[in-house]
Amino acid sequence: MIEFRHVDFSIDGNAILRDVSFSVARGRTTVILGPSGSGKSTILRLLLGLYHPDAGSIFVDGVDVTHINASRWREIRSRMGMVFQQGALFDSMTVGENVGYALLEANGDDEVEVAPAVRHYLELVGLDPYLIDRMPDQLSGGMQRRVAIARALAARDPMILLYDEPTTGLDPQSAERITDLIVQLRDQQGKTAIMVTHDIPDAFKVADAMTILEQGRVVFEGSPDALISVSTPFINQFLAPFRTAMGAASRRFEAATRRGAPPRTDPQRGGTP
Amino acid sequence: MPVIRAILERFRSVVEGVQDLTLFTVETLRALFSRPFYLRETIHQLHFAAIGSLLIVLVSALVAGQALAIQLVRELANSGVKGQLGHFMVISVVRALGPVLVGMVVASRMSAGITAEIGAMRSSDQLDALVAFGTDPIRRLVVPRVIALVIALPALTILGDALAVIGGGWVGLQYHLPIESYYAGVFKFLTPKNLLVGMIKPFAFAVLIAIVACWKGFRSEGGAKGVGVSTTQSVVIASVGILVTDGICTRLIFRLLGW
């Protein structure tokens, strides 16, 4: 459904992506992982036609989008919904106008007509429709991100969803709600998705496939299970904090189980002691 | 030779900037005559430009008109032609001072507002979000602002000219110039040709202010600091551009009218 073939991209002579090749199957969620500055978000921008590759080809539904004109780009983009880093909600519009943006564009600003659809998508992402008249800056970060997802879904009911660091900067509960929503959209609606993140636990939670970037190059492409068994210096170093945290949690759980008591929740701290 | 290299580098960036601004202007002019047209956004921008600038334009014009009249009336009185104040006020205000003064006042307010708003949209990915939703940001953001200013600035210039001339009349009264005499001079020289000279300029200033402000917002880089730099540049370019355009327009119009 989506394929990058030997894509190179640079800005002002600085190579951002080098010979990047990977593919995303229909109805699957691929997570692109990598440290900051490795070119993850650039892949989504190339896919949306916001950037154009220096070399190589990008295919969407079998169409090479590398050399298409503006009107063809609009048609290709209509199949995609993008959730930008930090949400990128239109701050001069209400929540309702944001979610219904594409519908309002198509219906000539008839807010009454699109209101039921807006309420539906707000409910779908777990938000109360009473928020419809709020401005984006009156919402928490997690709510803004969910409004951004609702806006992407409401656009044209896209079959491809692109998430750019959807949980960055959110508290654990809000981040979990977002990842649950991404999994739900894949499982219940069969959406194809690419999620860019550097949060390894989130990646393992939602990924059917993973692609890892290091300084603009793909250093791993495969399933999450396959990633666990890979051992290269970069991947070991990249996954080390995650493995350490998982190991520590596992040891604590085993110790607590051996003592005959399940992990206790500290009401003051809200977590396991 | 780091100084020469720095000068050449600066020259190259100015040439590239002019080239980019020209392409942006062509793209905007093309978008002006194609669908969709964002009526609601245009009305919103018209309100922001016209109603929002009204008070500062009126106050500035009234004060500037009085200051000009004070300068003129003393000299005219010394020459024994105090009764010509209305004539001189119309020529000075309607042909020259009014359009430039109102243009400057509106530019300082609108350039900063437009560039800061669009620059903030750019730094928070809202411009990319528009593209992702199939919207042409030039049509959505630039065209409504150009149209709004093309309507608002000439209208504000008419009001500003009127207030400046009225201010001159008050000054004339203080110098014992009969009001009938003053306004007789005003209406005698409020000819179609004088109005033409004064009313062509605001259209050119409006296009200049809107396009430069939007262009600087679109090209803003580097977060909040970058938006600040772009906003400053936008106001400076618009202000200098108004003075340069005024000079060019005046020469062209005078040549066209055979003056």
Side-chain angles (χ1 to χ4, degrees):
Chain A
M1 178 167 220
I2 296 169
E3 190 180 356
F4 275 58
R5 282 189 201 162
H6 308 293
V7 170
D8 290 340
F9 177 71
S10 58
I11 295 177
D12 297 333
N14 298 318
I16 309 294
L17 297 177
R18 304 167 209 210
D19 196 27
V20 166
S21 296
F22 70 94
S23 58
V24 180
R26 187 182 296 274
R28 310 275 285 174
T29 297
T30 290
V31 172
I32 300 175
L33 266 172
S36 297
S38 57
K40 305 183 299 291
S41 297
T42 304
I43 285 177
L44 300 187
R45 286 167 186 273
L46 284 164
L47 202 47
L48 274 171
L50 300 173
Y51 295 154
H52 302 287
D54 301 333
S57 302
I58 301 167
F59 292 85
V60 177
D61 285 339
V63 177
D64 183 351
V65 298
T66 322
H67 301 293
I68 57 175
N69 60 26
S71 65
R72 192 87 173 91
W73 256 122
R74 274 195 289 279
E75 194 269 317
I76 294 287
R77 285 189 193 114
S78 71
R79 302 177 204 174
M80 298 189 245
M82 171 82 173
V83 179
F84 284 86
Q85 214 175 79
Q86 313 299 333
L89 296 178
F90 304 125
D91 48 20
S92 60
M93 299 181 191
T94 63
V95 166
E97 287 166 341
N98 265 283
V99 174
Y101 178 79
L103 302 171
L104 288 167
E105 285 269 291
N107 292 348
D109 285 347
D110 188 345
E111 287 180 20
V112 176
E113 196 176 321
V114 304
V118 169
R119 284 195 200 94
H120 165 73
Y121 284 107
L122 282 174
E123 282 172 355
L124 188 68
V125 298
L127 288 174
D128 200 315
Y130 83 86
L131 296 170
I132 204 163
D133 292 322
R134 294 268 182 95
M135 298 304 285
D137 61 6
Q138 295 175 305
L139 305 181
S140 68
M143 287 168 134
Q144 287 185 17
R145 232 53 80 80
R146 279 190 279 165
V147 172
I149 294 174
R151 182 178 67 173
L153 289 171
R156 285 148 291 220
D157 198 17
M159 282 314 295
I160 302 168
L161 286 169
L162 310 174
Y163 303 98
D164 190 0
E165 309 256 13
T167 58
T168 299
L170 299 183
D171 62 87
Q173 286 80 13
S174 300
E176 192 172 359
R177 273 194 214 114
I178 298 290
T179 50
D180 285 347
L181 182 59
I182 292 169
V183 171
Q184 180 194 328
L185 288 169
R186 177 195 62 194
D187 294 345
Q188 294 179 3
Q189 300 193 15
K191 305 281 187 194
T192 305
I194 298 180
M195 180 171 116
V196 158
T197 185
H198 56 246
D199 190 299
I200 299 165
D202 283 354
F204 274 95
K205 186 174 174 184
V206 304
D208 295 312
M210 285 180 162
T211 298
I212 298 190
L213 289 180
E214 180 197 8
Q215 293 183 345
R217 290 182 195 278
V218 174
V219 293
F220 172 84
E221 187 186 2
S223 68
D225 292 342
L227 178 63
I228 296 290
S229 57
V230 167
S231 179
T232 68
F234 172 75
I235 290 178
N236 287 343
Q237 189 188 6
F238 186 65
L239 295 182
F242 174 61
R243 284 173 173 155
T244 307
M246 292 298 285
S250 173
R251 280 193 299 277
R252 280 188 167 215
F253 188 81
E254 281 171 16
T257 310
R258 271 199 304 277
R259 285 200 304 269
R264 179 167 53 86
T265 300
D266 183 343
Q268 294 298 313
R269 296 169 62 191
T272 51
Chain B
M1 292 292 176
V3 175
I4 293 175
R5 196 177 304 140
I7 292 169
L8 286 174
E9 189 59 35
R10 181 82 187 129
F11 180 71
R12 192 175 67 93
S13 78
V14 169
V15 170
E16 283 176 357
V18 171
Q19 185 187 30
D20 190 37
L21 176 59
T22 307
L23 291 172
F24 189 85
T25 306
V26 169
E27 216 174 321
T28 302
L29 293 176
R30 198 182 295 156
L32 265 170
F33 302 103
S34 56
R35 290 169 66 86
F37 176 66
Y38 294 94
L39 180 64
R40 191 200 273 196
E41 178 70 7
T42 307
I43 292 169
H44 175 73
Q45 290 302 324
L46 184 57
H47 183 270
F48 178 58
I51 307 301
S53 308
L54 186 61
L55 185 63
I56 52 169
V57 164
L58 295 184
V59 171
S60 306
L62 187 64
V63 173
Q66 287 181 328
L68 177 67
I70 290 168
Q71 304 276 352
L72 285 173
V73 78
R74 291 176 71 90
E75 296 303 317
L76 293 172
N78 288 341
S79 306
V81 284
K82 196 166 68 177
Q84 293 294 310
L85 181 63
H87 167 200
F88 278 88
M89 281 299 289
V90 166
I91 301 297
S92 310
V93 170
V94 175
R95 275 202 211 164
L97 178 69
V100 174
L101 176 78
V102 174
M104 288 287 204
V105 169
V106 172
S108 63
R109 180 174 178 274
M110 293 300 292
S111 296
I114 291 172
T115 305
E117 183 185 4
I118 295 179
M121 287 182 77
R122 179 172 162 77
S123 66
S124 60
D125 287 334
Q126 291 177 55
L127 295 187
D128 286 341
L130 284 174
V131 176
F133 284 106
T135 301
D136 178 355
I138 300 257
R139 273 188 206 139
R140 171 95 202 181
L141 300 173
V142 184
V143 169
R145 284 161 175 79
V146 171
I147 293 173
L149 268 172
V150 162
I151 296 169
L153 194 54
L156 289 168
T157 302
I158 292 171
L159 292 172
D161 286 354
L163 258 283
V165 170
I166 290 168
W170 284 350
V171 171
L173 273 177
Q174 286 162 15
Y175 282 83
H176 311 294
L177 176 67
I179 200 80
E180 302 82 20
S181 167
Y182 176 79
Y183 282 106
V186 166
F187 288 114
K188 186 178 175 190
F189 288 93
L190 208 56
T191 60
K193 278 189 176 180
N194 281 335
L195 285 172
L196 179 74
V197 175
M199 289 315 298
I200 283 180
K201 292 175 188 175
F203 289 100
F205 296 163
V207 173
L208 174 86
I209 295 167
I211 289 183
V212 167
C214 292
W215 172 64
K216 273 290 160 193
F218 270 70
R219 300 294 182 260
S220 169
E221 279 178 347
K225 191 181 174 190
V227 173
V229 171
S230 296
T231 303
T232 307
Q233 290 174 341
S234 168
V235 175
V236 171
I237 294 171
S239 304
V240 175
I242 283 172
L243 295 175
V244 173
T245 309
D246 181 52
I248 294 169
C249 280
T250 304
R251 279 182 176 277
L252 281 176
I253 296 166
F254 271 50
R255 190 167 292 177
L256 279 172
L257 293 174
W259 283 354

